[in-house]
Every structure is written in structure tokens, then in C-alpha cells.
Amino acid sequence: EVNGAVHDLLGLGVDNIASRRLRLVGDPEARIKEDVLRILRFFRFMDVFFNTDAASLHACTQNWGLLEGLSKERVTQEMRKMIVAIPASQGLKEMAAQGLTIKNLGLNFQFFYNIKEKSQNIDIECEPVLWVALFSGVLAEELGEALSLPRTLVKQMQAICGAVQDSDLYWSTYRHGKDVGVQAAILAGWDVDDIITLQNWEIPVCPITAEVVMRDEGLDPGPELGKRLKQLEREWFTKEVLETGPRQN
């Protein structure tokens, strides 16, 4: 109440809070049957309540399959809260340790944890690369379909994975922007100092234009012009960045 009085209707709440104990009230099985999403919330609240009730945890793992009956959107909403949590969610760690899956997709918590640690040193929103890391080995398109992820998020994940396969992440950053390039560098295992250097890089502007090439080389608009522009742009980039070194903001 406003005056500070606390009414503990079940006689357990105050003690549980004081001991940081996480538990489902009464019969854990009954609480889960009332709202299956409580399973995921139980794991999410492990970040706040460190003393986990064994019976409640057992009930959550035993009834994990009931999550398959929930909509993808409801499951994903809870997962997003754990993925972006700082520090890395202990609930995800416990889920991985128990061998639990989300929509039949396994969790790679250790890889996720490593990526999460690096991302906390970077001043960029890193949710896309965290999804990639947690479900490593799963194609972005497949993950997006399994969990009904927003299309914009899936496209970012695809771009990041594509950039990692490129041998030159500075080129990928130039082509796709720092959000993609920096997250790709995190995923590729770059050192934090190198990632920060990439983040602070002053992306150059290519001076080569179609009009100049058409004038100087006598090309007409069409596929040949486009091919030549790409060639010249890559040659310019190699000289501008790779040979002279990236300029910092």
C-alpha cells in the first residue's frame, strides 16, 4: 500500500523475495496448465531470482512440449526479452543445459554468450547477430519462418551471414552499412579493438559515376556499363581503403 504495508496473501511471497527464490505458486503443474507461457517466463525470471525452486524447474522442463501449442508470436516475444537482456540471460543458459529446443531448434548458448559479451562493447543495436548466434547453424530464412520473426530482422540476419562469408568485411561494411558490417565482424570473431576500429571508420564516398564512365569510355546505358562501374568501384575501393588504410571519424 502507499503507507508501505505489504499484504502477503499466500504467506510465501515476502520470504521468496527476500531469498531471491523463483517458484511457481502452489502446484507448479496446475500453474503451467493455466498459462503455458509461464514456462518461458520462469526461465526469463532466472535473471532476477537466482534461487530456483527444483519442483518448479522440473515441472517446466517436463511440460516443455506444451509450448508447441502456442503461437510462434507469443514464444518469440518472450525469447526476444531474453536475447536482449543484459547481461546474457541465465534462463537461456539453463534451457541449453537442459537440452530444450524452441520450435525444434537447438540453442547454442556458449556461442551466443561469447557474441553477447563482445556486443556489449559496441555502440550498435546487435539483436540480429544475437539471434544468429543463439541458433547457429540455422539459416536466417528458416529461423524467421519457425519463429515468425519480423521480415526486417530476417533480412538483417541474412546480410550479416552473407558479409561473414566475404573475405573483406570493410568492403561489406562499405556496401551494406555499419550495422551489418560491425555485427558480421562480431560474428566472425574479430577482436573488440578491431571491431571498434571498424565502427569508427569513416566510410568513403565513391567518386566514380555513370556519367563520367559514359563520357570517358564511350559506353551506353546497359549491362556493360553496370559491369564496368562495379569493376571500377572495386578497384577504387582497393586503392582508397586497403592500400592506404581506413580513415577514422
Side-chain angles (χ1 to χ4, degrees):
E1 294 184 0
V2 177
N3 61 7
V6 175
H7 299 276
D8 188 354
L9 300 182
L10 298 177
L12 300 170
V14 172
D15 286 343
N16 285 333
I17 292 173
S19 61
R20 307 294 288 273
R21 183 183 301 113
L22 176 62
R23 68 188 303 175
L24 294 168
V25 176
D27 180 3
E29 295 270 351
R31 300 292 79 77
I32 289 172
K33 298 296 173 57
E34 291 170 355
D35 183 358
V36 177
L37 201 60
R38 283 175 176 157
I39 295 174
L40 281 179
R41 288 175 181 153
F42 183 85
F43 284 96
R44 179 160 65 86
F45 291 156
M46 284 183 181
D47 295 337
V48 179
F49 299 96
F50 309 120
N51 183 6
T52 304
D53 176 61
S56 297
L57 177 60
H58 179 75
C60 287
T61 56
Q62 290 298 109
N63 289 280
W64 187 262
L66 296 177
L67 290 171
E68 292 298 317
L70 297 181
S71 69
K72 300 174 184 178
E73 290 78 9
R74 293 187 73 195
V75 171
T76 299
Q77 184 179 34
E78 287 298 317
M79 287 297 297
R80 292 187 84 169
K81 293 174 183 177
M82 286 191 276
I83 283 175
V84 301
I86 298 176
S89 172
Q90 291 302 303
L92 289 176
K93 182 178 181 179
E94 182 63 32
M95 287 160 58
Q98 295 281 347
L100 304 175
T101 62
I102 298 295
K103 298 298 182 181
N104 295 318
L105 302 176
L107 308 178
N108 187 341
F109 179 80
Q110 190 56 55
F111 187 43
F112 167 82
Y113 180 82
N114 294 338
I115 297 298
K116 183 79 169 180
E117 288 291 289
K118 283 190 176 181
S119 72
Q120 290 174 15
N121 296 294
I122 308 302
D123 189 23
I124 281 180
E125 171 56 57
C126 291
E127 183 183 351
V129 75
L130 295 175
W131 281 99
V132 172
L134 184 61
F135 294 94
S136 60
V138 180
L139 295 176
E141 190 70 29
E142 180 184 346
L143 183 59
E145 174 63 27
L147 297 177
S148 286
L149 298 177
R151 188 61 192 165
T152 53
L153 179 60
V154 173
K155 286 184 176 180
Q156 286 178 306
M157 292 160 59
Q158 289 173 321
I160 291 166
C161 293
V164 170
Q165 297 174 5
D166 196 315
S167 59
D168 179 11
L169 283 182
Y170 273 93
W171 171 253
S172 294
T173 303
Y174 165 75
R175 297 288 292 172
H176 301 292
K178 288 187 180 179
D179 281 355
V180 169
V182 169
Q183 290 184 79
I186 296 173
L187 192 63
W190 281 26
D191 291 335
V192 171
D193 289 344
D194 292 333
I195 295 171
I196 293 175
T197 297
L198 177 62
Q199 184 181 13
N200 293 332
W201 175 44
E202 181 183 344
I203 299 179
V205 178
C206 181
I208 301 169
T209 64
E211 291 77 9
V212 171
V213 176
M214 290 169 63
R215 182 195 66 202
D216 294 349
E217 301 190 13
L219 294 176
D220 294 323
E224 285 301 317
L225 175 61
K227 182 178 179 180
R228 180 59 175 154
L229 279 170
K230 290 181 180 179
Q231 179 186 1
L232 291 171
E233 183 182 30
R234 191 62 195 250
E235 291 174 355
W236 160 82
F237 184 84
T238 299
K239 182 177 181 180
E240 172 72 17
V241 177
L242 301 187
E243 292 183 1
T244 63
R247 292 192 299 267
Q248 301 294 297
N249 285 323

